[in-house]
Amino acid sequence: MSTDPGTGTSLRLTVVGCSGSYPGPDSPASCYLLEAEHDDGTGPRTWRVVLDLGNGALGALQRYADPLSIDAVLLSHLHADHCLDMCGYHVLRRYHPSGPQPLLPVHGPAETADRLARGYDLDPDPGMREEFDFRIWGEPVRIGPFHVEAIPVDHPVDAFGVRITVGGVTIGYSGDTAPCAGLDAVADGVDLLLAEASFRAGDDNPPHIHLTGTDCGEAAARAGVGRLVLTHVPPWFDPADALAEAVAVFDGPTELAVAGAVYEL
């Protein structure tokens, strides 16, 4: 982990927000910035995608990148703590003093366009379709240097984990999920697994919603991941509990996500 992006890295991950279920005192809700250098034939530049944009994340994102420099947004699911700052992003792209911005690809579940229109109290037609090019998760997609694969996972709404590969480096993101085959597919052999640890082992947790730290560690061990980063711990729990659970069952490098952390792979 580093706090200096440096040079020469294949893939850079910045934790913009990692608080679970709602923003906490030290972090916005879920949001991750991925950056990689790439020449698509028009010249080399830094490509950027945003993975989830939850409550409070748009403000923090501006510390790390110009929001107008983003090449695509990837939404794991449509709960507010993963997508609702898209409403502010709509305002920024529509009313910016430099003029309306080009359509931005937004990959997400089938109901993404309607969900965001409701979030800003817009008529669903056109909703935000004049700012965003909504694309439904399906086959893997290529965005500049990023190869992106969305895999259905177990959550009360239509939800996906995401694998993002640049060159020979892959990051897996659990999104929100309970233990399931989809989670194992997301985690399989990745260099870094971002796994949500919203529940505590030993509590009376409802099924089909979230992971415990133990679940995260066990998934990482099964999948042979290179590094486990626990995220999405709600502010009402002590993140140290999730970390202790995970390291008890996974002997690889394991740590807690913190806002502002940068991983270079």
Side-chain angles (χ1 to χ4, degrees):
M1 183 177 70
S2 170
T3 56
D4 180 358
T7 60
T9 58
S10 171
L11 176 58
R12 182 181 305 120
L13 163 67
T14 301
V15 179
V16 177
C18 56
S19 184
S21 299
Y22 61 97
D26 301 314
S27 175
S30 295
C31 182
Y32 308 91
L33 173 66
L34 298 167
E35 299 174 286
E37 304 304 313
H38 178 62
D39 186 345
D40 66 351
T42 61
R45 67 175 178 88
T46 301
W47 285 68
R48 298 180 174 92
V49 297
V50 168
L51 179 55
D52 283 343
L53 195 63
N55 318 61
L58 180 60
L61 175 64
Q62 294 169 72
R63 299 172 187 162
Y64 312 109
D66 179 350
L68 299 183
S69 74
I70 303 303
D71 293 289
V73 176
L74 316 176
L75 298 178
S76 66
H77 67 291
L78 301 179
H79 280 153
D81 60 317
H82 292 258
C83 76
L84 206 55
D85 263 28
M86 289 294 291
C87 292
Y89 199 23
H90 148 80
V91 172
L92 186 153
R93 297 190 70 85
R94 183 176 183 88
Y95 299 109
H96 194 275
S98 64
Q101 302 300 303
L103 278 174
L104 182 73
V106 175
H107 300 264
E111 300 300 319
T112 300
D114 288 347
R115 171 73 175 91
L116 295 180
R118 292 196 306 273
Y120 202 68
D121 198 26
L122 297 173
D123 188 307
D125 185 14
M128 298 183 185
R129 290 182 176 87
E130 295 176 343
E131 292 71 48
F132 301 128
D133 177 11
F134 293 103
R135 304 179 184 186
I136 299 171
W137 285 128
E139 294 298 313
V141 297
R142 174 73 65 174
I143 304 165
F146 304 101
H147 180 268
V148 182
E149 181 182 8
I151 299 172
V153 292
D154 187 9
H155 200 53
V157 299
D158 197 16
F160 297 83
V162 183
R163 290 172 63 93
I164 300 174
T165 300
V166 174
V169 173
T170 301
I171 289 174
Y173 173 53
S174 69
D176 282 7
T177 182
C180 63
L183 172 63
D184 289 344
V186 168
D188 187 27
V190 298
D191 297 276
L192 185 151
L193 176 64
L194 272 170
E196 64 106 334
S198 305
F199 285 165
R200 297 184 303 184
D203 289 351
D204 184 18
N205 298 314
H208 307 298
I209 301 180
H210 287 303
L211 302 171
T212 65
T214 299
D215 293 329
C216 295
E218 290 176 344
R222 286 193 303 270
V225 310
R227 173 180 284 181
L228 173 61
V229 179
L230 302 176
T231 191
H232 200 274
V233 179
W236 53 56
F237 287 147
D238 184 348
D241 294 339
L243 182 62
E245 290 180 23
V247 299
V249 294
F250 176 59
D251 60 8
T254 306
E255 58 202 86
L256 294 165
V258 293
V262 176
Y263 296 87
E264 299 171 348
L265 295 98

